[in-house]
Amino acid sequence: MTTSFPDPAAFVGKVAFISGAASGIGAATAGRLARLGARLVLADRDAERLAAFAAQLATQDVLALNVDVTSMASVEQAIAAGIAHFGGLDLAVNSAGIDLPRCATAHYPAEDWDKVIAVNLTGVFNAVRNQIPAMLARGGGSIVNVSSIMGFRAFAGQPAYTAAKHGVIGLTKAAALDHAAQGVRINAVAPGFIETPLLAHLSEEKKQEAAMLHPVARLGQPDEITSVILFLLSDAASFVTGACYEVDGGYLAR
């Protein structure tokens, strides 16, 4: 039986863990899930911003936690806290990420490499590693990891970010194969340039240049990525696992 989407009842009562929840794609996804009746475990390293965002959500079913995704122990504790609070875990969106100034590979600072890989790749592994057992205990679940168009393409001056986002897609596929028969679906999305805090350092001129890299000739909005994430989380995508959906205004079609 095929489930239609959107189903107004698809997320009612479901427990969802979202990293990077204080802003950008994470916040947009949390907002939509809150309006659809999900119970939320929100994780971010910016505790003050996260608390302010959580207070604005149209739900009381929210647990906001200060989490360092680069720490396995921090992620493990957060997911355990969510399970203790809500009774289990059904859904997860791993969207925490950082970017650092561009630098050619021959001169790229080792500490910057470590920071970007730790958050953007190891952080996803730490989350998935703890989310899967929690979902198995519920009989299944769905995870969406946020990669990027840079999971398929390379940008000069961004070796760490490019490597990390390629790695997220590989990790997604490997984990999906490991647990496909156990009812845990694991997919990824690859956004193009989206108007989030990651682009805040760009001038308006640079933002316009980024916009014109997309055939649709504009930047994407966080909620446009959220729509695809919600599809992948839902039972409408029951036969989808190990996939990476490009949500990029046609960027990768060239």
Side-chain angles (χ1 to χ4, degrees):
M1 178 179 177
T2 301
T3 303
S4 61
F5 185 82
D7 176 359
F11 299 106
V12 173
K14 294 292 181 69
V15 181
F17 178 96
I18 304 171
S19 71
S23 63
I25 294 168
T29 303
R32 288 275 290 278
L33 284 171
R35 292 191 292 274
L36 291 167
R39 296 180 289 173
L40 305 176
V41 182
L42 305 183
D44 202 283
R45 63 179 179 174
D46 189 337
E48 184 175 347
R49 188 172 189 175
L50 181 64
F53 170 70
Q56 298 171 2
L57 291 175
T59 180
Q60 298 299 312
D61 288 332
V62 57
L63 179 65
L65 301 171
N66 184 13
V67 178
D68 175 7
V69 297
T70 70
S71 165
M72 177 69 80
S74 181
V75 175
E76 183 178 10
Q77 290 165 11
I79 292 175
I83 292 171
H85 191 79
F86 290 120
L89 181 67
D90 304 296
L91 311 169
V93 179
N94 300 312
S95 67
I98 62 170
D99 193 12
L100 294 174
R102 292 189 180 190
C103 182
T105 303
H107 307 289
Y108 199 85
E111 60 270 23
D112 286 359
W113 172 272
D114 290 342
K115 288 177 184 176
V116 173
I117 296 298
V119 175
N120 294 5
L121 180 54
T122 303
V124 176
F125 169 74
N126 290 341
V128 170
R129 169 64 179 79
N130 287 284
Q131 290 157 359
I132 292 170
M135 292 180 181
L136 291 175
R138 298 274 266 194
S142 179
I143 299 171
V144 178
N145 300 321
V146 178
S147 181
S148 165
I149 53 173
M150 291 173 67
F152 294 95
R153 299 285 188 270
F155 275 50
Q158 292 188 304
Y161 193 88
T162 301
K165 293 302 184 178
H166 273 69
V168 168
I169 295 174
L171 170 61
T172 297
K173 291 178 180 293
L177 291 177
D178 284 337
H179 301 284
Q182 297 172 292
V184 177
R185 296 185 300 103
I186 307 168
N187 294 289
V189 292
F193 289 96
I194 311 300
E195 283 202 280
T196 70
L198 281 182
L199 297 188
H201 66 285
L202 297 180
S203 65
E204 288 305 313
E205 180 182 0
K206 289 295 184 182
K207 284 185 181 180
Q208 185 59 27
E209 290 177 6
M212 297 310 295
L213 293 174
H214 308 92
V216 299
R218 65 174 177 84
L219 296 175
Q221 297 300 314
D223 203 51
E224 293 179 299
I225 312 304
T226 290
S227 292
V228 179
I229 290 173
L230 293 184
F231 163 69
L232 292 171
L233 289 177
S234 78
D235 288 341
S238 57
F239 202 55
V240 182
T241 196
C244 183
Y245 275 51
E246 302 159 13
V247 196
D248 62 358
Y251 181 97
L252 290 170
R254 290 179 170 174

